[in-house]
Amino acid sequence: MACAAVVVCGLLRSSRGSICPQAASRRLTSRALRHLTLTSIMKSKRKTDHLERTANVVRREVVAAAKVCGAAAESPSVKRLHLLVADKDFSFKAGQWVDFFIPGVSVVGGFSICSSPRLLEQERVIELAVKYANHPPALWIHNQCALDSEVAVRVGGEFFFDPQPADASRNLVLIAGGVGINPLLSILRHTADLHRARASTGGGCEVGTVKLFYSAKNTSELLFKQNILDLVNEFPEKIACSLHVTKQTTQISAELQPYITEGRITEKEIRDHISKETLFYICGPPPMTDFFSKQLENSHVPKEHICFEKWW
């Protein structure tokens, strides 16, 4: 489970194993949404409630019905969901999250989207990856959620990458810890879609290189590692990754070994990628985001080039 807490940003997955059934678009009425939101806030006594933490964060007005059309274990502790969102007015920017409304559950979840906007445009599907936690929305996803379960979602967040054709090309450095990979994977997949579009049409947004630094406890907790390596192999001159494990106890597979470093991501690794054309996106445990955002500031990276989101 993850509750968005702090966002600082100066700019402001696609495994498709399941075939989603078509469903009629269904929009929640404003009265139903108001009742659901107020009830959720009143019933939840938690100081770390997602709605309370993000009360001042920008949200879209559209609250869309969604249906679970795929679910799988992404790691021993993380479950991946595919949601069909038929409402054509529902959209998001790479890196944003959703308020996650569950019928019968008073607490509203907050989960980053890990798929690209292009997947939604083409298939009306978004992906979430939710870590097991003793929190009602996460417990429901891990213990009760089933195919065709109906929920509702609303997009929010000011942590995103949304370049326009007239913008100057930028390099990206993405720094992820644990399930903090989710919004960064959405950004990574979006940049891959932009590269494909530019290669096929010669137009659209121009994006520079992307380097992903991603740390987890062990290789089994490195989420979406095959998806990441597929993008690295597809765009060897544009996308690179450095995968870190901090408590590895088993042998690392031959396929992963060239990309794995045992130990935490270091300040020097990040500093080597500093340039005036580079934007930094950080998402992970609060101590990690605090450390790297501060180190980048100390290295004279402009604050508007450092974007981070903390998730508890």
Side-chain angles (χ1 to χ4, degrees):
M1 201 284 299
C3 289
V6 178
V7 179
V8 174
C9 188
L11 305 173
L12 265 260
R13 354 204 186 207
S14 169
S15 5
R16 308 177 185 176
S18 303
I19 299 176
C20 300
Q22 294 300 314
S25 173
R26 205 158 41 84
R27 182 79 62 81
L28 295 185
T29 66
S30 58
R31 179 180 295 179
L33 169 63
R34 185 163 55 250
H35 173 75
L36 180 57
T37 302
L38 291 175
T39 301
S40 299
I41 292 175
M42 288 187 294
K43 286 187 177 181
S44 177
K45 302 293 185 181
R46 295 171 56 89
K47 292 183 179 180
T48 56
D49 179 79
H50 165 69
L51 288 182
E52 294 172 351
R53 284 188 176 277
T54 62
N56 296 322
V57 178
V58 174
R59 286 170 162 81
R60 291 178 57 87
E61 293 184 2
V62 175
V63 177
K67 181 176 287 189
V68 176
C69 60
E74 186 61 36
S75 80
S77 63
V78 175
K79 188 172 184 178
R80 172 167 44 88
L81 294 185
H82 289 209
L83 299 177
L84 177 67
V85 187
D87 190 336
K88 295 297 179 63
D89 290 329
F90 178 90
S91 64
F92 73 97
K93 297 174 183 178
Q96 290 186 301
W97 41 258
V98 292
D99 295 328
F100 194 83
F101 300 94
I102 305 165
V105 177
S106 63
V107 180
V108 176
F111 305 116
S112 286
I113 302 169
C114 56
S115 51
S116 72
R118 182 70 54 87
L119 181 64
L120 177 65
E121 293 167 7
Q122 294 180 340
E123 302 183 23
R124 302 310 308 168
V125 170
I126 64 171
E127 292 183 47
L128 309 177
V130 179
K131 188 169 184 177
Y132 182 87
N134 189 27
H135 189 256
L139 285 175
W140 181 87
I141 287 171
H142 279 263
N143 298 335
Q144 295 178 253
C145 176
L147 286 178
D148 296 329
S149 291
E150 295 184 351
V151 297
V153 288
R154 175 177 57 192
V155 169
E158 298 157 2
F159 177 87
F160 57 78
F161 180 61
D162 185 37
Q164 302 302 307
D167 293 345
S169 176
R170 295 288 194 178
N171 299 325
L172 302 182
V173 171
L174 312 177
I175 307 170
V179 290
I181 187 62
N182 286 338
L184 301 184
L185 182 65
S186 178
I187 291 172
L188 183 66
R189 286 169 158 171
H190 185 45
T191 62
D193 285 335
L194 294 176
H195 285 314
R196 294 184 190 107
R198 192 166 180 84
S200 63
T201 67
C205 298
E206 183 178 0
V207 183
T209 61
V210 184
K211 180 63 179 281
L212 169 67
F213 293 91
Y214 177 22
S215 176
K217 182 170 62 175
N218 53 53
T219 53
S220 68
E221 293 291 344
L222 284 170
L223 308 181
F224 301 105
K225 47 187 172 288
Q226 190 55 56
N227 299 124
I228 293 167
L229 295 186
D230 287 345
L231 293 179
V232 170
N233 291 327
E234 183 179 355
F235 301 99
E237 297 181 358
K238 290 290 188 178
I239 297 177
C241 72
S242 178
L243 307 177
H244 289 245
V245 290
T246 57
K247 296 181 180 179
Q248 186 73 19
T249 58
T250 60
Q251 185 173 354
I252 298 170
S253 69
E255 181 185 25
L256 282 178
Q257 279 182 358
Y259 305 96
I260 293 287
T261 298
E262 297 200 47
R264 298 183 184 278
I265 303 167
T266 66
E267 177 191 351
K268 181 182 183 306
E269 288 176 285
I270 304 304
R271 193 168 57 238
D272 288 344
H273 290 271
I274 292 175
S275 75
K276 63 181 181 180
E277 296 85 16
T278 301
L279 306 179
F280 295 84
Y281 285 81
I282 312 165
C283 188
M288 189 196 82
T289 56
D290 288 343
F291 175 80
F292 284 114
S293 60
K294 185 64 175 177
Q295 293 303 318
L296 288 168
E297 285 187 38
N298 291 343
S299 297
H300 307 294
V301 175
K303 287 187 177 181
E304 63 269 21
H305 288 187
I306 305 169
C307 304
F308 67 81
E309 186 163 51
K310 293 182 183 179
W311 288 78
W312 271 260

